[in-house]
Amino acid sequence: MSADETRDARAGAGRRELTYAVLLSLAGAGLALWAATRTWSVELTVRPSPLPPERVASTGTALLPWLPALAVVGLAGGGAVLATRGRVRQLLGGLLALLGLAVAVGGGYGLVAGFEGVVSRQWPVLCLVGGLLAGAGGLLTALRGRDWPAMGARYERPSRAAAVPPGGAPAGPVTGRRTTEAWDALDRGEDPTVN
């Protein structure tokens, strides 16, 4: 196997791992957020006859207000994995692993807590599973994320020395009035509004 084939195979494996980590983080945090908004317990309060009992439903959000906030931060962090690179990505992965663990603890607490009334256990279980998935994505990012590919720099403005396109003409303002010339200038990294 040549050096180019080895490098391409490593890059392909890195892209797959990045995809798995982002999907685990997003799916886990999204599942936990959804489960936290479901009804976890229903309390019936008896009222004098002939009034029916009063039904008070409590969602996971009402019982553990911090739980959906952590899940939303996990969603944002899962997307931020794509925009970061190197050590920053690894630190973000560690933070996502801790957030996932905290969400899983919230789901576990929902399973064992003695909430008033009739308690529905499937939503805390889904919250626990979502937290574990998000934590796994964060852990994978923390352990392996340093070598993963980063977003392309296609639309970053080049330095002055690199502003000369392959044709040899230096970058400058667009002199024509045609729309296609302005779009071409944007593709080259030039600002068509500069005179």
Side-chain angles (χ1 to χ4, degrees):
M1 185 180 278
S2 72
D4 288 338
E5 291 172 342
T6 304
R7 188 178 64 243
D8 290 344
R10 233 181 284 133
R15 281 190 296 274
R16 276 190 303 279
E17 287 177 354
L18 173 63
T19 302
Y20 295 149
V22 169
L23 288 178
L24 279 172
S25 296
L26 293 177
L31 178 63
L33 180 61
W34 180 70
T37 61
R38 305 295 102 197
T39 301
W40 286 21
S41 73
V42 177
E43 185 179 351
L44 296 176
T45 305
V46 179
R47 298 191 298 181
S49 185
L51 297 173
E54 182 180 4
R55 182 180 188 268
V56 178
S58 298
T59 63
T61 302
L63 299 170
L64 302 170
W66 50 268
L67 190 60
L70 290 182
V72 168
V73 172
L75 280 172
V81 167
L82 294 172
T84 56
R85 64 179 91 182
R87 295 284 296 157
V88 174
R89 182 182 279 166
Q90 284 185 300
L91 292 173
L92 177 63
L95 178 64
L96 287 175
L98 291 175
L99 284 171
L101 181 62
V103 169
V105 166
Y109 175 76
L111 284 174
V112 298
F115 298 126
E116 297 292 324
V118 179
V119 179
S120 176
R121 300 288 183 206
Q122 73 264 21
W123 304 121
V125 166
L126 286 178
C127 198
L128 174 71
V129 169
L132 291 176
L133 288 174
L139 186 62
L140 180 61
T141 302
L143 295 176
R144 310 268 305 163
R146 187 174 198 163
D147 300 327
W148 293 343
M151 290 177 68
R154 176 177 178 181
Y155 294 106
E156 290 180 8
R157 186 173 178 95
S159 66
R160 283 242 177 225
V164 178
V174 177
T175 57
R177 295 199 183 269
R178 295 182 35 214
T179 305
T180 56
E181 290 175 357
W183 284 109
D184 291 341
L186 283 174
D187 285 340
R188 290 191 303 269
E190 301 170 8
D191 184 359
T193 62
V194 176
N195 291 328

